[in-house]
Amino acid sequence: MTVKQPLIITVDGPAGSGKSTVSRILARKLGLPYLNSGAIYRAVTLAVIDAGVSFDDRPRVAEVISRFSLRSVEEADRTRFFIGDREVTDRLKDPDITAQVYRIADESGYRKLLVDLQRRSVQRHGVVAEGRDMGTVIFPDASIKFYLDAPAEERARRQHLELVSRGVPSRYEEVLLKLKERDHRDLSRTDAPLLAAPDAVRLNSGGLTIDEVVGRFLDHIQKQCGSP
Ligand code: DC
C-alpha cells in the first residue's frame, strides 16, 4: 500500500479492546514504528517501584522519569520490552503493576513529563500510536484516528485468558471487576481522560476477529490516503 508520509495513526480505547494487537499488526503492514503508550505508563510504574520511591514523592518520581527509557523489539507475534538490559515484557502485564499504574496515569504532573517521550516515537514515515489519549492529547493532528471499544465482559475474558496462558493465577470475575474499576478511572481522570477524539472512527470489536478489525482499519486508511 502506498501512503502519504509522515502518517500518524492513533488507536485509542479502553483496556482489553484489542488495540495493542491490532496496532502492532497495522504498524507492521504499513511499515511504521509502533508506540504502545500503555507499556510506557506500566514501565514507569515498575521503575518507580523498583527504585523504592513512593508515588507521592514528586521530585524523586520526576527524577526516575527523567532517567527512564524503554526499548522495544518487534517480533513476529509480539513486542518485547526492555528497561536497560532487563527484559520486562511479562512483568509489565503482572496484576500488581496493572493495579498501581494509576499512580502515574492519574497524575497530571507525571503525564506531562511523558509527553515528549511519546511524541519522539514519530519517525520520518510516521507511527501507529495506541493508548487512551493518543488522538486527543499526544497527536491531536494525527492523519487518521481510531477508537476501538468492546463490551466489558468480552474485554475481561480476553485479559483473563491472557493471564491464564502465562500461568498467572486469575479469576474471571475479579478481572472483570478490576477492569470496570480501571474503565472508571480512565474515563473520569481530569487530565487526558479516555475519550474518542471528535474526528476518530469508532469501531466495536465485540464479536470481530483481530483480522477483521485490522481489515476494517486498513480499508479506512486506504480510503483516506486515496491509494490503490
Ligand atoms: O493499555 P494498557 O492497559 O497497557 O495501559 C495501562 C494503563 O496506563 C491504563 O490503566 C491507563 C494508562 N494509560 C494512560 O493513562 N494513557 C495512555 N495513553 C495509555 C495508558
Side-chain angles (χ1 to χ4, degrees):
M1 184 188 297
T2 328
V3 289
K4 280 182 212 148
Q5 292 173 347
L7 181 67
I8 299 180
I9 297 173
T10 59
V11 184
D12 288 309
S17 55
K19 60 190 189 314
S20 298
T21 311
V22 166
S23 302
R24 190 170 42 72
I25 296 173
L26 209 55
R28 197 174 58 226
K29 284 190 186 282
L30 297 169
L32 294 175
Y34 160 52
L35 171 70
N36 178 336
S37 60
I40 293 179
Y41 281 93
R42 287 171 182 273
V44 168
T45 304
L46 175 63
V48 171
I49 292 171
D50 285 353
V53 168
S54 156
F55 286 104
D56 297 323
D57 188 339
R58 287 162 195 274
R60 290 192 66 201
V61 172
E63 197 187 310
V64 172
I65 294 177
S66 72
R67 281 189 272 111
F68 172 81
S69 92
L70 181 70
R71 189 165 56 88
S72 60
V73 175
E74 293 303 327
E75 290 191 347
D77 59 349
R78 64 178 185 150
T79 308
R80 295 172 68 187
F81 294 100
F82 297 82
I83 298 179
D85 288 338
R86 173 183 167 211
E87 175 156 18
V88 293
T89 313
D90 284 345
R91 180 74 184 100
L92 294 186
K93 290 279 180 186
D94 281 344
D96 67 312
I97 299 295
T98 305
Q100 299 260 62
V101 73
Y102 80 93
R103 303 294 312 261
I104 299 296
D106 285 5
E107 279 294 329
S108 221
Y110 300 156
R111 296 192 75 90
K112 284 198 175 64
L113 296 175
L114 292 169
V115 168
D116 283 347
L117 189 88
Q118 295 172 80
R119 291 196 177 139
R120 277 204 301 272
S121 66
V122 180
Q123 293 173 10
R124 199 155 52 93
H125 302 298
V127 72
V128 177
E130 61 106 336
R132 306 293 189 286
D133 59 346
M134 296 296 102
T136 50
V137 175
I138 304 296
F139 301 114
D141 299 327
S143 337
I144 297 172
K145 300 179 185 178
F146 294 108
Y147 187 86
L148 192 60
D149 207 344
E153 289 72 18
E154 185 160 338
R155 293 187 282 121
R157 194 173 46 78
R158 289 178 193 156
Q159 292 202 331
H160 169 65
L161 291 176
E162 203 257 339
L163 288 168
V164 169
S165 75
R166 287 203 290 117
V168 178
S170 172
R171 279 197 327 115
Y172 167 79
E173 290 74 19
E174 199 182 327
V175 173
L176 179 61
L177 192 76
K178 295 255 168 69
L179 184 123
K180 285 183 174 171
E181 280 171 17
R182 210 139 64 90
D183 280 357
H184 179 70
R185 278 191 180 283
D186 277 344
L187 291 164
S188 56
R189 189 163 50 230
T190 38
D191 184 23
L194 169 62
L195 191 69
D199 49 346
V201 173
R202 289 163 167 266
L203 182 68
N204 194 312
S205 69
L208 296 178
T209 64
I210 292 291
D211 285 348
E212 285 168 335
V213 176
V214 171
R216 291 193 193 188
F217 279 15
L218 283 172
D219 284 349
H220 179 75
I221 294 167
Q222 210 148 16
K223 275 192 210 124
Q224 288 288 302
C225 295
S227 62

